[in-house]
Amino acid sequence: MTARHASPLEALLVDDRFDGDVYPGEPLSRHTTYRIGGPARFYVQAGSVRALTRLVEACEQTDVPWVVIGRGSNLLVADEGYPGVAVSLGRDFRTSRFDADANRFCAGAGVLLSSVVQDAFHRSLAGLEFAVGTPGTIGGALRMNAGSRDEWLGARVASVTTYAPETGLVRRAGAEIAWGYRTSSFAPHDVLVECELAVEPADPFFIRGKMEASLARRKKTQPLTEPSCGSVFKNPEGASAGALIEQAGLKGARHGGAQVSEVHANFIVNTGGATAADVCALIELIRTKVLEAHGVELSPEVRFLGFA
């Protein structure tokens, strides 16, 4: 039963046939690695492509903003929250299989990238070692072309399937997508649904060595035990954002519960009770001081949600 005057979105979210879990007023701090963020109007976990398309169409019809979030590993949500629908990709988007004939993984956008990396290792397949320890989902990693200066996920993409209200489902070859440093050419409202990742057989000891070296480097150089969003700023051309921030004397700088990490200056960590306003204050301080000291304008890598 639905109310006679319910909007298309409200009618959908109370429909027993809707293949999704609906959480009104859900704090998004529960869904970001920062553990920061106010409530979304609705947090909805869509269990299937059909549920996703119905949900997005209802949002479009009702003029309610919507956004897809993964593990929230590169996301800062405003303290006031998000006035729209935060969508999480559930059941059908969290499966991965390996095609031995093509040497490709076909993975849903909701699959953890780290799980595919481990699966490849156990099958003695190389190409994804650089992503070991990456906390996000396949979808988020594709959108930001996760990786290092030398290796990135886009180089391994054979195809990506996306959904958008204007075009429906579209499958594109990896070569049709522009991949850059921490960027890709997906449109803002392209929902990444699944992808194919190309790998190749290799010596398991070689794979293990690369993975262990990458993990050791992460543990030594990143504050992995404290809540953060990963790197806050993109590295400028030919320079290190972390080094520029440290040289500006900002390592350890604090605002409320947020702190520029003592381990890596391009990380702002939540030391306990940090607000989005605290993090934003440090971001602005860093950008101002680095510009004054080095003449370099740092560009944020973190995504902002719910800010005016």
Side-chain angles (χ1 to χ4, degrees):
M1 295 290 290
T2 60
R4 179 177 298 176
H5 301 294
S7 71
L9 177 61
E10 293 166 336
L12 176 66
L13 296 183
V14 297
D15 188 339
D16 292 339
R17 296 166 296 178
F18 175 61
D19 183 16
D21 298 317
V22 181
Y23 303 89
E26 175 75 357
L28 291 182
S29 58
R30 298 175 181 172
H31 304 282
T32 68
T33 55
Y34 243 142
R35 300 177 194 166
I36 292 172
R41 178 175 174 184
F42 293 102
Y43 176 83
V44 182
Q45 189 175 96
S48 63
V49 171
R50 173 61 175 157
L52 171 67
T53 59
R54 292 182 68 196
L55 178 60
V56 170
E57 288 168 2
C59 288
E60 293 287 316
Q61 292 171 16
T62 318
D63 290 328
V64 172
W66 59 275
V67 64
V68 175
I69 62 175
R71 290 289 296 273
S73 59
N74 190 39
L75 187 65
L76 179 65
V77 179
D79 298 313
E80 295 77 20
Y82 178 61
V85 178
V87 185
S88 173
L89 301 180
R91 187 192 64 245
D92 289 359
F93 303 94
R94 298 182 180 182
T95 62
S96 174
R97 61 179 177 82
F98 177 64
D99 182 342
D101 294 330
N103 271 340
R104 293 177 180 179
F105 284 98
C106 182
V111 172
L112 292 179
L113 177 56
S114 59
S115 70
V116 180
V117 173
Q118 290 299 323
D119 194 2
F121 166 64
H122 291 306
R123 296 174 185 270
S124 298
L125 297 167
L128 300 175
E129 303 82 47
F130 67 89
V132 65
T134 301
T137 60
I138 290 283
L142 287 171
R143 184 170 285 281
M144 69 173 293
N145 194 20
S148 64
R149 287 185 182 271
D150 304 314
E151 296 180 279
W152 53 89
L153 194 60
R156 288 288 162 181
V157 174
S159 73
V160 179
T161 300
T162 61
Y163 166 77
E166 306 85 7
T167 58
L169 290 170
V170 176
R171 184 174 183 268
R172 284 176 279 177
E176 297 178 59
I177 300 158
W179 306 99
Y181 172 63
R182 295 294 190 269
T183 63
S184 63
S185 59
F186 297 110
H189 266 188
D190 279 344
V191 180
L192 281 67
V193 174
E194 68 176 12
C195 74
E196 292 179 299
L197 300 174
V199 290
E200 62 269 346
D203 184 333
F205 292 100
F206 166 79
I207 298 171
R208 179 188 289 274
K210 286 192 69 176
M211 290 174 66
E212 289 180 345
S214 181
L215 277 176
R217 185 167 57 252
R218 283 177 182 266
K219 290 178 180 178
K220 182 179 180 180
T221 62
Q222 298 180 9
L224 301 181
T225 60
E226 297 176 283
S228 78
C229 69
S231 298
V232 175
F233 298 99
K234 299 176 184 178
N235 287 321
E237 185 69 30
S240 161
L244 294 175
I245 297 166
E246 184 170 355
Q247 290 162 16
L250 294 174
K251 207 171 190 179
R254 300 181 67 108
H255 191 285
Q259 180 182 32
V260 178
S261 172
E262 297 276 13
V263 179
H264 193 310
N266 198 20
F267 284 65
I268 295 176
V269 297
N270 179 358
T271 63
T275 64
D278 291 336
V279 176
C280 286
L282 280 183
I283 288 175
E284 288 307 309
L285 174 66
I286 290 169
R287 296 186 73 183
T288 299
K289 294 297 185 181
V290 168
L291 184 60
E292 290 175 354
H294 305 288
V296 176
E297 188 166 351
L298 292 179
S299 176
E301 182 175 312
V302 60
R303 292 172 58 207
F304 298 90
L305 181 65
F307 294 87

